[in-house]
């Protein structure tokens, strides 16, 4: 451990999924740099923090102030020197990072699909009972669901994966959505979980991707993270986040974007919160060999196309949010 003369803490939220992601980063760092299993906690200790977003359980993030509520305390821990690294679900990270922080690595993406979980065993949205109660705190998921099934009643459902599954089992809602990536990382194998095809329901931009931030200018942290960086994932989510940036995207606007690196297509959309209107655009795109700047530009260009297609309707979406 000569190259690691002092501990390099990893900041994370304390939710089970966030901790699982931080432990994955810890294990990858230890493996990449020859740190033994017994020494990895000493070399890369986990600094668990409760974010403002985690404290709010009685209303949606839209009502509370936005997705940055999940990163504020973690950003502060890095900026004041308590942590060298911070682990984030990239779908929760604002498109502009606080001054003094930057992305040091993006891990290989997990399954980006949403999963339908219902108490009645339905595996397709079209099979859900008419007028059933559906729980989600995601404005994107609400809008997409209402676009496909306007008869369904949507109510807020906050909490971590375990909390939402408990509320489903208690009968508070008939069905809900969870991210397949989160279920995989937590080791949940649910018999009643049915992944939804991304072209039926586009995931959130950067869904399934984990990012690690560092302080700007921390070259030791950057070098240590280099073996963890997955370039194809970084290109894809940079394009998706470019689309978000072009539309001033946040949890206050129903936006979805997904780059499929297998079929080489990029599809993105924006909806009205009630799901009655949707603007979706798609283009063929081969990300291999592109710089991150090029990927960002592709996302912003697709955003401009959606803006043009939506016209004055899009401004109403932002005013409503």
């Amino acid at each position: 451990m000569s190259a690691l003369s002092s501990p390099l803490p990893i900041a994370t939220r304390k939710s089970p999924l966030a901790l699982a992601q931080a432990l994955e980063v810890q294990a990858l760092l230890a493996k990449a740099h020859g740190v033994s299993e017994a020494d990895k906690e000493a070399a890369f200790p986990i600094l668990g923090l409760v974010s403002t977003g985690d404290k709010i359980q009685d209303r949606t993030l839209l009502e509370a102030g936005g997705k940055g509520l999940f990163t504020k305390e973690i950003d502060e821990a890095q900026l004041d020197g308590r942590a060298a690294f911070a682990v984030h679900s990239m779908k929760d990270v604002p498109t502009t990072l606080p001054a003094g922080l930057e992305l040091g690595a993006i891990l290989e993406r997990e399954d980006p699909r949403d999963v339908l979980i219902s108490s009645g065993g339905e595996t397709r949205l079209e099979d859900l009972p008419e007028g059933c109660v559906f729980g989600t705190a995601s404005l994107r998921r609400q809008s997409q669901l209402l676009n496909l099934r306007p008869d369904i009643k949507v109510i807020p459902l906050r909490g971590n994966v375990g909390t939402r599954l408990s509320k489903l089992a208690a009968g508070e809602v008939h069905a809900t959505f969870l991210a397949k990536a989160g279920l995989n990382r937590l080791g949940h194998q649910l018999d009643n979980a049915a992944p939804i095809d991304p072209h039926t329901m586009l995931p959130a931009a950067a869904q399934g991707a984990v990012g690690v931030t560092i302080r700007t200018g921390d070259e030791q942290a950057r070098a240590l993270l280099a073996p963890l960086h997955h370039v194809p994932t970084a290109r894809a989510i940079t394009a998706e986040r470019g689309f978000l940036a072009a539309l001033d995207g946040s949890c206050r606007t129903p936006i979805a974007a997904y780059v499929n690196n297998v079929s080489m297509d990029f599809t993105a959309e924006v909806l009205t919160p009630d799901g009655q209107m949707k603007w979706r655009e798609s283009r063929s795109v081969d990300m291999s060999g592109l710089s991150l700047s090029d990927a960002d530009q592709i996302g912003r260009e697709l955003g401009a196309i959606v803006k043009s297609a939506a016209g004055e309707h899009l401004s109403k979406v932002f005013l409503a949010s």
Side-chain angles (χ1 to χ4, degrees), residues 7 164 168 251 290 299:
R164 282 180 279 171
L168 177 70
C251 74
L290 292 184

Side-chain angles (χ1 to χ4, degrees), residues 46 124 179 254 295 307:
I46 302 295
R124 303 185 305 168
K307 272 189 173 182

